[in-house]
Amino acid sequence: MKRTPSVVLGLCSYTHDSSAALLVGGELIGFVEEERLSEQKHTKAYPARAVAWLLDQAKLTAADVDAVAYNFRPARYLAESPAALRLALSPATRDRALARAHGFAKVAVRTQRRLRLIGRQFPAARVAPVLHHRAHQLTAFAASGWDEAAVLVVDSLGERQTTTIARGHDTLRPRTRTLEAINDPASLGYVYGAVTEHLGWRRGDEEGTVMALAALGDPARFRHLFAQAVRTTATGFHIDPAYFPARTLTSGYERTSRRFIAETCPERHPSEPLAEVHRDLAAAVQERTEQVMVHLTRRARVLTGSRRLCVGGGVATNCVSIGRIIEAGVFDEVFVPPAPGDAGTAIGASLAVHVDGRSPRPVAGVARTCYLGPSYEDQPLDLTSWPGLHQKTLGIETAEFLADQLARGTIVGLFQGAVEAGPRALGNRSILASPLEPGVVERLNATVKFREPFRPFAPMVLAERAVEFFTLGQQAPYMSMASGVTDKVREQVPAIVHANGTSRLQTVTRSQNPFMHAVLAAFGRRTGVPVLINTSLNVKGKPICGTPEMALDCLADSGLDALLLEGRWITK
């Protein structure tokens, strides 16, 4: 009889955004992205540091691991190889048929080889590949804490799938059943990534920059093009290869066509200035993404009959699209997990193996949690390597002290507690600033984050007072939803409003983050506005600071005024 795994290690590795999660007896011990420990943003390396930390947390060794859950199934890639030859039947796709067949076969073989490499590190474990979209589904649904919901996953590619609609059920033993799937080359993530690259930014990293730029453009200029290039159907959407040729998974093949270039603009070099055509192109791809996402949401409502929706996959990080879904009112409530992208599939993969093993133990520690990584409380701090920095230990009124500093206009890095899961800083690895300070957005972009001047900054607000400032109509704990704002915001804190009239909101409850809740309340008492600017503790091109050393480097090398690191006030 097969032994039921009690120690399950979930991995996202060798592609991008490497991470690891550990379930012991169904309880999530922790989760962390490797970049937070290695300082290599979007690293695809095996998450050695993450795995070592997790095993140490559980007081286990590699020999104690019963199963390793991997977030891809190589055989599913192989299935696309012969199917790719159908492209040879059409003149529009004929030139990519063989390259696509070869590329998918190559990835299947390479993934299988990676599974064998992983297996050698865990002598008592079986290595269990999990369908990529199933891992996404379980991550999103289990994190919601709901007993039943529709689950929509939209990304670039998982084996063959790019979009799935499923129904999730059972909080204690979460399961999902896929009701409909869309396969590559119909991929919304692929299109958005292609336009990101065309506009001169890094695909897979800077799609958020395109989303921000979109607010400054006019989508009408290229609206017809994207309506043709990304056509909705009764059950989903279709990509026109005349604009976005089918992917091959091999290098040397462009993601946009000559026709796309002729009808839009030449590819922009990162050093070139932004022109009106670039802003309009960003606006058009963003608008079409929002339209297709709402269309898919309506389809999910029909297929599942559910009143609640969970959204996962890389496209779920497009907070403006999530805001549009909420505005559409198709579902009573919408949920996006803290780590909706590939990194989060380490959690979903481990859940799949635990549930499939028919363990009698319920899942615990996954629902409504985001602070899942390493913490460094009560550790000594040596500033020898940073001779220009000075520290003092604060007393018990730390929240009041921080609120007072922020109210005076100080820009502060905050490093406290466990590292957040996912791409957003949620109050434990944050840069905080007063939205009332004149020129704060310009200063943050130019001297602290070193990024484009049009990039907006997200607000965090006391959850119980969010309705005074934002029109979202539901909680947004993980900064994954763009909300409209009230007149009060426009009058008192316009710095947090982007050019499209929205803010990427984080609502903070006392139970989620007691310290940040106390800081917001204290800031509100001083200023009348319980709202702060919250951006991630890093500079452009670097990952969020997962270790004290990374945070100290960020303070020393940027325009931050101070760093609050586990009760220590550090200044230059």
Side-chain angles (χ1 to χ4, degrees):
M1 180 179 292
K2 187 192 303 181
R3 184 163 56 117
T4 301
S6 59
V7 179
V8 181
L9 178 68
L11 293 181
C12 171
S13 180
Y14 302 122
T15 54
H16 58 87
D17 296 315
S18 289
S19 65
L22 186 67
L23 285 182
V24 177
E27 181 179 359
L28 183 62
I29 301 301
F31 161 85
V32 66
E33 289 132 295
E34 183 72 2
E35 69 170 27
R36 308 291 160 85
L37 307 176
S38 70
E39 301 188 46
Q40 301 300 312
K41 192 172 184 182
H42 298 305
T43 181
K44 62 181 181 180
Y46 173 77
R49 293 173 180 82
V51 171
W53 172 75
L54 287 166
L55 293 177
D56 181 66
Q57 285 291 104
K59 295 179 171 54
L60 298 171
T61 69
D64 297 314
V65 176
D66 295 299
V68 178
Y70 189 64
N71 64 335
F72 288 99
R73 291 185 66 179
R76 291 297 184 97
Y77 281 107
L78 194 60
E80 180 60 27
S81 191
L85 296 176
R86 71 186 183 277
L87 299 181
L89 301 176
S90 169
T93 56
R94 187 174 296 153
D95 63 330
R96 297 206 172 192
L98 287 177
R100 181 176 170 89
H102 177 263
F104 274 81
K106 183 178 179 180
V107 169
V109 171
R110 187 169 60 201
T111 304
Q112 188 62 51
R113 188 185 311 124
R114 289 167 174 168
L115 293 181
R116 289 195 294 269
L117 287 173
I118 290 171
R120 291 173 192 155
Q121 302 187 53
F122 302 93
R126 65 183 180 90
V127 179
V130 175
L131 193 66
H132 189 69
H133 269 235
R134 186 186 178 205
H136 271 306
Q137 291 166 2
L138 285 169
T139 301
F141 176 67
S144 74
W146 294 334
D147 195 55
E148 184 277 336
V151 185
L152 172 64
V153 173
V154 187
D155 66 0
S156 182
L157 181 69
E159 296 98 12
R160 305 174 73 187
Q161 296 174 330
T162 68
T163 308
T164 53
I165 295 172
R167 182 177 177 271
H169 62 94
D170 196 342
T171 305
L172 299 180
R173 292 171 180 81
R175 290 173 169 82
T176 59
R177 182 168 66 91
T178 299
L179 304 175
E180 203 161 76
I182 298 173
N183 288 342
D184 196 70
S187 171
L188 202 56
Y190 181 84
V191 168
Y192 209 104
V195 175
T196 297
E197 199 168 58
H198 190 79
L199 287 172
W201 287 293
R202 292 186 300 275
R203 172 173 47 85
D205 180 28
E206 297 184 289
E207 281 82 353
T209 304
V210 175
M211 183 177 66
L213 181 65
L216 306 181
D218 180 3
R221 183 172 183 174
F222 299 116
R223 183 174 289 145
H224 178 71
L225 183 153
F226 279 97
Q228 285 289 112
V230 187
R231 297 196 299 273
T232 54
T233 66
T235 58
F237 63 95
H238 172 77
I239 304 300
D240 189 340
Y243 292 99
F244 298 98
R247 85 173 84 215
T248 63
L249 297 182
T250 55
S251 59
Y253 287 84
E254 299 294 332
R255 292 186 169 225
T256 54
S257 68
R258 291 179 181 176
R259 178 175 176 180
F260 178 85
I261 295 170
E263 295 184 19
T264 58
C265 62
E267 185 173 343
R268 172 183 168 266
H269 189 273
S271 63
E272 290 180 39
L274 286 168
E276 185 177 355
V277 67
H278 303 131
R279 293 187 283 270
D280 292 347
L281 185 56
V285 71
Q286 176 62 32
E287 179 186 72
R288 193 56 177 159
T289 299
E290 295 165 21
Q291 291 168 347
V292 175
M293 288 292 282
V294 172
H295 175 68
L296 292 169
T297 299
R298 297 187 190 281
R299 181 65 179 165
R301 179 77 174 88
V302 170
L303 288 174
T304 65
S306 301
R307 302 296 305 176
R308 288 168 161 171
L309 174 70
C310 303
V311 190
V315 182
T317 61
N318 190 300
C319 64
V320 180
S321 290
I322 301 300
R324 293 284 183 258
I325 289 171
I326 294 170
E327 285 179 2
V330 180
F331 288 88
D332 293 344
E333 192 171 359
V334 177
F335 177 83
V336 179
D342 275 11
T345 58
I347 298 174
S350 64
L351 290 172
V353 171
H354 175 77
V355 171
D356 291 350
R358 299 185 180 182
S359 169
R361 294 177 178 270
V363 167
V366 179
R368 302 288 171 163
T369 57
C370 63
Y371 307 111
L372 296 169
S375 64
Y376 299 85
E377 299 171 64
D378 303 320
Q379 290 193 10
L381 187 64
D382 183 2
L383 294 182
T384 303
S385 298
W386 299 271
L389 302 184
H390 312 279
Q391 67 170 314
K392 68 176 181 178
T393 302
L394 301 180
I396 58 173
E397 297 296 331
T398 306
E400 294 288 341
F401 174 84
L402 177 56
D404 190 59
Q405 289 292 325
L406 292 167
R408 296 182 184 190
T410 308
I411 295 178
V412 183
L414 178 60
F415 185 107
Q416 59 144 4
V419 177
E420 299 95 330
R424 315 295 185 206
L426 302 171
N428 280 14
R429 301 291 186 274
S430 292
I431 292 173
L432 304 176
S434 168
L436 303 170
E437 190 70 13
V440 66
V441 171
E442 292 76 12
R443 183 184 168 197
L444 280 166
N445 274 326
T447 69
V448 179
K449 300 288 282 188
F450 305 115
R451 65 184 199 180
E452 296 83 1
F454 58 82
R455 297 278 295 274
F457 287 96
M460 60 195 322
V461 62
L462 288 175
E464 61 268 29
R465 293 189 60 185
V467 69
E468 298 176 37
F469 302 92
F470 304 99
T471 62
L472 190 66
Q474 68 162 72
Q475 295 298 297
Y478 306 131
M479 203 186 287
S480 52
M481 303 161 179
S483 171
V485 301
T486 64
D487 290 340
K488 191 171 186 177
V489 167
R490 295 188 185 92
E491 294 167 3
Q492 297 185 8
V493 279
I496 63 170
V497 185
H498 193 33
N500 60 5
T502 70
S503 295
R504 190 180 70 200
L505 174 64
Q506 181 193 359
T507 55
V508 181
T509 64
R510 183 178 284 107
S511 60
Q512 177 191 354
N513 194 321
F515 179 74
M516 276 313 312
H517 189 274
V519 173
L520 285 163
F523 185 81
R525 288 193 296 272
R526 286 163 171 77
T527 65
V529 180
V531 178
L532 286 168
I533 287 175
N534 173 24
T535 187
S536 54
L537 183 59
N538 69 320
V539 298
K540 184 179 179 181
K542 296 284 188 178
I544 294 175
C545 298
T547 68
E549 293 77 16
M550 293 169 69
L552 291 166
D553 283 340
C554 186
L555 172 62
D557 298 337
S558 75
L560 276 176
D561 295 321
L563 173 69
L564 178 56
L565 194 159
E566 298 297 359
R568 303 175 185 91
W569 185 249
I570 305 171
T571 55
K572 299 175 183 178

